[in-house]
Amino acid sequence: WSRVLFSPQNMTTASREEDGKSPAPAEGRQSIYIARYGLPETPLVEGVGPFDMNLSAEGTQAAHELARHLHENARIKHIFTSPFKRALHTASIVSQDLGLGKVNVEDGITEWQSPELVGGENPYKPPSLIDLLENFPEINPKWEPMCRPEPFETEEEMCTRAARVARILADSCFPSDVLIVSHAPCNIAIGLGLEGLDLKEARGRTKIEPWPLGGLTRFTRDSVGESSRWELAESCATGHLSGHWREGKQRWTLPALR
C-alpha cells in the first residue's frame, strides 16, 4: 500500500489546487525542466538491486553537461530532486555549477515504490536527511517534502503522486524556471500530467518518448491558473550530452506505455 501525506507548509498562495481553490491568475513565461540522471556506477537489476547507487564518472560528466546546457538556455531558480543518490548527486552538481547553492529533496518525486525498483521483501529506503546532508551539503534542510510515499504503489498511484507534486512545485515557483531531477517512471508520470493525459489513455497519445539516461524534457507556459496550459517544447533530449550518450542510451518507459 502507499501512504501519501501532503504538507501545506511549502505552498504559496499560487498553488492551492489541492485545497480546492483555484490559483490566482498570473502572467509570465515559465519552463519546467525534467531530467533523468546519467550513468550510475552500478547497473540496477530490477527486483534484485542495487537500488540506490552513486553516479559513475560518465554520470558525473553528464550532470556537468546538463548544468552547462541550463546555464546557456534557462533561468533555473529552484531545483527539486529525488532523495536517491544518483538523482541527488546530479542535482547537487547542477546546483553548484549554476551557483544556486541549495537543492530541495522532495520525496514526492522519489523512485516508484514497486518491488522491481525498491525491492520486495525488504523495500529500500533512502538515508535520512541528516545522513544525506553529510555527503550533500547542498541540500536545503528547511525544505519539508510534500508527501512520503511508501511501498508499494501501483503504476497509476505513482503517476498520480508524481504529477500532482510537480504541478504544485511549478505553481509555487511561478514564473521562475524549475528543474526536477528524478527517475524515468516519475519523469514520465510528470510529463503525462503536464500533457493532461491519464495513464489509461496515454498509450499512443503521449509525446513523451522512452526516457534515456541523461535525457531532458522541457515544458513551458505563459500563465498560472485555471486557464494555464503546458506546451511540450522538447522530449527526452540528449543533444547536450557528449559521446555516445548523445544518441539516447538505456531508454525506459512505463509498462502501460509498452
Side-chain angles (χ1 to χ4, degrees):
W1 63 285
S2 174
R3 178 169 61 91
V4 180
L5 302 177
F6 276 82
S7 167
Q9 296 182 18
N10 300 311
M11 294 172 60
T12 68
T13 55
S15 60
R16 298 295 180 82
E17 67 171 16
E18 306 306 331
D19 294 333
K21 300 178 182 178
S22 300
E27 295 182 353
R29 187 69 174 173
Q30 181 185 42
S31 290
I32 181 170
Y33 293 81
I34 312 164
R36 187 184 179 194
Y37 47 80
L39 183 69
E41 62 181 5
T42 307
L44 187 158
V45 178
E46 292 191 7
V48 177
F51 301 108
D52 196 5
M53 51 291 219
N54 292 312
L55 290 176
S56 67
E58 289 179 278
T60 299
Q61 180 179 341
H64 287 294
E65 291 169 345
L66 171 61
R68 186 180 307 116
H69 174 76
L70 294 173
H71 175 71
E72 295 173 353
N73 297 280
R75 47 187 180 87
I76 301 296
K77 297 296 183 183
H78 306 279
I79 299 178
F80 300 94
T81 178
S82 159
F84 280 65
K85 287 182 290 187
R86 54 197 185 273
L88 177 52
H89 192 186
T90 299
S92 296
I93 290 173
V94 173
S95 177
Q96 291 176 359
D97 289 0
L98 294 182
L100 293 180
K102 295 296 181 181
V103 300
N104 302 306
V105 175
E106 176 51 65
D107 292 343
I109 53 173
T110 193
E111 179 66 283
W112 180 10
Q113 301 293 292
S114 71
E116 294 78 13
L117 298 178
V118 297
E121 293 185 4
N122 297 297
Y124 174 81
K125 287 189 176 183
S128 67
L129 186 63
I130 293 176
D131 291 334
L132 288 174
L133 274 165
E134 293 183 1
N135 294 315
F136 300 100
E138 298 81 18
I139 292 175
N140 175 11
K142 297 181 180 180
W143 179 261
E144 179 69 21
M146 289 191 204
C147 69
R148 294 182 172 87
E150 295 184 358
F152 291 105
E153 299 174 296
T154 66
E155 188 175 5
E156 188 170 4
E157 288 171 339
M158 180 277 297
C159 285
T160 299
R161 176 255 295 178
R164 189 182 182 192
V165 168
R167 286 195 300 268
I168 296 174
L169 294 177
D171 285 355
S172 66
C173 295
F174 187 86
S176 299
D177 288 354
V178 173
L179 171 65
I180 288 177
V181 183
S182 187
H183 314 263
C186 288
N187 286 352
I188 295 170
I190 293 169
L192 295 181
L194 297 181
E195 284 184 304
L197 292 176
D198 183 86
L199 180 64
K200 297 177 181 178
E201 63 182 9
R203 187 175 181 180
R205 296 184 60 188
T206 179
K207 295 180 181 178
I208 302 296
E209 305 168 11
W211 213 295
L213 285 176
L216 180 68
T217 291
R218 177 169 64 97
F219 283 85
T220 64
R221 64 176 175 178
D222 292 321
S223 64
V224 61
E226 287 186 343
S227 61
S228 173
R229 293 293 181 271
W230 288 98
E231 296 180 1
L232 179 62
E234 57 182 348
S235 174
C236 301
T238 52
H240 59 285
L241 302 175
S242 60
H244 67 284
W245 298 108
R246 184 183 291 263
E247 301 170 10
K249 299 292 185 178
Q250 299 189 29
R251 292 178 177 268
W252 193 99
T253 194
L254 293 172
L257 302 180
R258 296 172 187 170

